Amino acid sequence: MTSTLSRAIAHYPNRFDPGAVSGLPEHIQETIHRRERVLGPGYTLIYKEPVEFVSGHGAHLVDRDGNDYLDAYNNVPCVGHAHPHVAEAVARQMTAVNTNTRYVQEALVAYAERLLATFPDELSKLSIACSGSEANDLAMRVARFHTGGEGIIVTRWAYHGITREVASFSPTLGAGSPLGPNVRLIDAPDPRLVAPGSTLDEHMRQQVRGAIDDLERHGYRLAALITDCAYSSDGIFTDPPGYMQAVVEEVHAAGGVYIADEVQSGFARLGDSMWGFSRHGVLPDIVTMGKPMGNGLPISGVVFRPEVCEEFGRNVRYFNTFGGSSIPVAAGAAVLDVIEKENVQQRVLENGNALRAGLREITKDSPYVAEVRGAGLFVGVEIVKDRETLEPDRALAEDVINDMRDRRILINGTGTSANTLKIRPPLAFDSADVTRFLETFAEVAKIRL
């Protein structure tokens, strides 16, 4: 098989080159050939040597030969792979009934009440969909209806989903997926971009103000600023907290709304709060959630301030056959059970602190590591050719990623140059997992960093 790498996936972090299939184990080769014959366009595998899993538990995945891999990458199984409480709740509901939101469901109402109780009182209305893309699509529809504007502001390498609408403001999808003429890009909150004598607050305010001015110059009133609260695709920027207040002030002054995309940063992922926006002391107008909400079942959510969605609800019909149906809601409720009963937020805080401290100790003298950053169990390690110039080194980052995979630990890359190691495990990641990760990373760092 010759290489079929395309422009569409050229920037995708750590992607598998189909031209290298002949070097893989025979059963993997066969499955990849079959995959090529029957799957549609756009699919890609990761790692130089792709891996197949047959089971999982906690933060671990097991391949067909019984090898245990430490999963430090997948956030979708939020409370852990095959969590027994979630599995039991889903199985029980599947043997009972699966109805949609056109029928009275006490369980749906109870779930909405529990989920909304984790938000500030002002955020008190929930709509349920199936994916993060759908959630962000609905959020933007409501924002446009509420504001009368069309302009959208996102960060330079943001990813918010794959519907036609949401892809138009997801620059990380690349040149083959053009941005809308109503979309403007701003810097992610990287403190290194701040001019001497200024502050991150002021830098971000100026970025947003400039984007609003340019939108207005081209005839677009602002509808919304939407940010991923961990800036996951931009390279993971979680600190310092507090700068968002200035940003939200500018957005509101221009008549727009602020949408907090919590698909990757929510559900206690960042450790010191349930939601990423809370770390900054701001109140979004709309909050979106996705993948981790049902521990892998297709459920997503949009939470609104009621005054933002009220008029939309009176004038536009919104119904989603599977959004809010009984089985995904059972999964969502079970996830909340686990977060509460297992004190997940505290576990994330403690193990995340230990993980980052260990990574900083291992890399403190490396000329190839610019920064270890993040919060909770969302960590970025920026790999560069030189600490002084900060020139990205994607090739070295991918060597580290694949060396870790060869030692049965899964991570990936992120950032505009795909040179930041993305460490984002299930929240079942415990102290033993931290120790295993750091010991293995130290081995790789000794060779590569």
Side-chain angles (χ1 to χ4, degrees), residues 286-425:
I286 304 173
V287 180
T288 59
M289 297 156 283
K291 302 168 185 175
M293 194 172 176
N295 213 50
L297 265 75
I299 181 172
S300 64
V302 190
V303 173
F304 303 95
R305 289 195 296 111
E307 59 268 32
V308 172
C309 66
E310 186 175 4
E311 193 66 22
F312 179 89
R314 280 202 291 261
N315 290 276
V316 180
R317 187 177 74 176
Y318 179 79
F319 172 72
N320 187 315
T321 302
F322 297 113
S325 60
S326 312
I327 292 171
V329 165
V335 166
L336 293 182
D337 291 343
V338 175
I339 289 174
E340 293 167 8
K341 291 176 181 177
E342 295 186 7
N343 199 10
V344 166
Q345 186 174 326
Q346 185 62 30
R347 182 171 70 207
V348 169
L349 186 63
E350 292 173 1
N351 290 316
N353 287 341
L355 180 61
R356 290 192 309 283
L359 287 167
R360 286 177 179 134
E361 179 63 26
I362 292 167
T363 61
K364 65 182 180 181
D365 296 321
S366 172
Y368 308 116
V369 175
E371 245 183 356
V372 175
R373 53 181 179 258
L377 286 175
F378 210 148
V379 183
V381 181
E382 186 178 351
I383 307 298
V384 293
K385 294 183 178 179
D386 181 270
R387 252 187 186 175
E388 299 301 317
T389 65
L390 298 181
E391 182 181 353
D393 196 335
R394 174 174 179 165
L396 179 56
E398 293 194 349
D399 285 340
V400 172
I401 291 166
N402 284 286
D403 283 356
M404 293 290 283
R405 176 256 179 267
D406 291 344
R407 290 164 173 79
R408 300 184 185 141
I409 293 187
L410 308 178
I411 60 174
N412 208 354
T414 187
T416 56
S417 298
N419 66 305
T420 297
L421 307 181
K422 187 176 190 178
I423 303 165
R424 183 198 53 182

Side-chain angles (χ1 to χ4, degrees), residues 60-277:
H60 298 256
L61 289 165
V62 181
D63 69 13
R64 63 162 58 203
D65 296 319
N67 296 308
D68 179 284
Y69 286 72
L70 179 60
D71 182 2
Y73 176 59
N74 290 293
N75 68 316
V76 178
C78 174
V79 295
H81 292 282
H83 194 289
H85 181 70
V86 180
E88 193 277 331
V90 170
R92 184 174 62 248
Q93 190 63 51
M94 287 184 73
T95 63
V97 68
N98 189 31
T99 56
N100 61 51
T101 54
R102 287 183 172 139
Y103 300 94
V104 176
Q105 295 182 59
E106 193 279 333
L108 168 63
V109 177
Y111 174 64
E113 290 169 343
R114 287 181 68 192
L115 184 64
L116 289 170
T118 69
F119 287 89
D121 291 344
E122 295 90 339
L123 289 159
S124 60
K125 292 291 184 179
L126 170 68
S127 293
I128 300 181
C130 299
S131 69
S133 296
E134 286 184 357
N136 284 328
D137 191 285
L138 175 60
M140 198 56 71
R141 285 181 66 192
V142 173
R144 284 173 156 166
F145 194 96
H146 176 69
T147 64
E150 292 287 324
I152 301 170
I153 303 174
V154 297
T155 51
R156 297 197 188 282
W157 206 242
Y159 173 74
H160 295 291
I162 56 172
T163 66
R164 179 172 181 175
E165 164 69 16
V166 180
S168 77
F169 56 86
S170 292
T172 192
L173 292 175
S177 183
L179 299 177
N182 59 320
V183 176
R184 296 297 181 272
L185 308 182
I186 61 171
D187 293 337
D190 182 349
R192 297 170 300 185
L193 299 177
V194 177
S198 187
T199 64
L200 184 60
D201 303 47
E202 189 55 33
H203 174 77
M204 295 304 295
R205 184 191 291 274
Q206 289 175 358
Q207 289 279 306
V208 171
R209 182 68 258 167
I212 292 169
D213 288 346
D214 195 58
L215 283 167
E216 292 176 349
R217 188 176 302 118
H218 289 85
Y220 295 107
R221 180 181 176 183
L222 181 65
L225 164 76
I226 178 169
T227 67
D228 160 9
C229 294
Y231 302 89
S232 313
S233 298
D234 289 281
I236 307 173
F237 296 95
T238 57
D239 295 296
Y243 64 86
M244 280 300 297
Q245 187 63 49
V247 169
V248 175
E249 286 173 2
E250 288 295 332
V251 169
H252 285 165
V257 298
Y258 169 47
I259 303 171
D261 182 338
E262 294 278 2
V263 171
Q264 296 198 59
S265 59
F267 291 95
R269 164 67 54 186
L270 302 184
D272 48 9
S273 59
M274 183 70 165
W275 306 108
F277 69 80

